[in-house]
Amino acid sequence: MEPLSEQNPLLKKIRRAAAHGGLTDDGCAIAEGIHLVEEAIAAGCEVKVILITTPDRRFPEAKLLSEKSFRSIAGTETPQGILALVKPRQSSTDAILRGQAALAVVLDGIQDPGNAGSILRAAEAFGATGAVFLKGSVNPFNPKCIRASAGSIFRLPVIQADDLTAFEGMTLYAAMPRAEKSADQADFVKPCAVVIGSEGRGVRESVAARAAAVRIPTSNVESLNAAVAAGVLFYEARRQRDAAHASEKKAAR
């Protein structure tokens, strides 16, 4: 198999998407590394093309690249020699916010792709129904965000929104370090969304005005990293929902 040249249009397309921190011109996400490629396939996403530096029987249709060419498109310091262009699954507001089990995470100005990806991973781990990236947040399909999500972005419904219009009538909780109410006093059992503000300024005033502020009790430090805060709040939501489910089962006996 003849390796693709460094001037191949496909490679130029990948470089352009990586530079812009989003999808390719034809709507594909960059999944780099064997784990992400396998996660995308397992999630049922459409894989448009796989690029590899070493022939692999698992991917007979993959296109071959020289290691030099691969390094020119890789986003990691120690590339694994495999990358795929993946069509993300289409998500909708209704899929994320409607229903009695609705539990969404709202990223309000989160700009660090590593934090954003880690938030998606925590949200999926504790049973969230999806994520909403408000205007001003990093692109959810930034390659660094995809890597930090460890594959969650291929399973968890994700949308981008300009504002909170879709949340009309829904309970929102905003993570704020000086809030009077602690997380365990919030009602995460009912349909709700958790707002995580930006690393620098926190939750915007216009968003905070629509939400109930909750804090995570801490010792010696005032606030937590955005991804850590999201993980703690979603753990509490999972704890409350599991307890409510157990009570319902006991009452039904």
Side-chain angles (χ1 to χ4, degrees), residues 107-210:
L107 288 80
D108 177 30
I110 298 291
Q111 296 180 340
D112 182 270
N115 274 342
S118 295
I119 289 171
L120 294 181
R121 190 177 184 186
E124 185 192 22
F126 295 116
T129 51
V132 179
F133 283 64
L134 291 183
K135 188 175 182 179
S137 298
V138 66
N139 190 313
F141 298 104
N142 181 298
K144 292 181 180 178
C145 181
I146 293 173
R147 291 198 298 274
S149 80
S152 289
I153 197 166
F154 298 129
R155 295 181 294 269
L156 189 72
V158 173
I159 62 171
Q160 294 172 280
D162 289 336
D163 53 39
L164 295 172
T165 301
F167 292 85
E168 194 65 40
M170 188 177 195
T171 299
L172 272 72
Y173 292 111
M176 303 180 74
R178 296 185 181 87
E180 291 185 10
K181 181 183 289 187
S182 62
D184 61 332
Q185 295 174 310
D187 181 4
F188 289 115
V189 176
K190 62 187 177 184
C192 61
V194 175
V195 182
I196 305 296
S198 72
E199 299 85 348
R201 59 166 171 73
V203 178
R204 282 178 293 177
E205 288 185 12
S206 60
V207 176
R210 276 275 287 108

Side-chain angles (χ1 to χ4, degrees), residues 60-85:
E61 303 301 321
K63 297 182 182 297
L64 193 63
L65 284 182
S66 68
E67 291 190 8
K68 180 182 178 182
S69 293
F70 194 90
R71 283 195 298 271
S72 76
I73 60 171
T76 55
E77 292 185 7
T78 54
Q80 296 179 16
I82 181 169
L83 178 152
L85 292 183

Side-chain angles (χ1 to χ4, degrees), residues 6-49:
E6 288 191 50
Q7 302 306 313
N8 186 283
L10 178 61
L11 304 191
K12 291 182 178 181
K13 178 168 66 175
I14 294 171
R15 294 189 194 102
R16 187 163 55 247
H20 293 161
L23 299 173
T24 61
D25 296 338
D26 53 352
C28 287
I30 301 172
E32 184 184 341
I34 185 63
H35 174 74
L36 282 180
V37 173
E38 290 179 337
E39 290 292 295
I41 293 172
C45 295
E46 181 183 2
V47 177
K48 288 293 188 179
V49 65

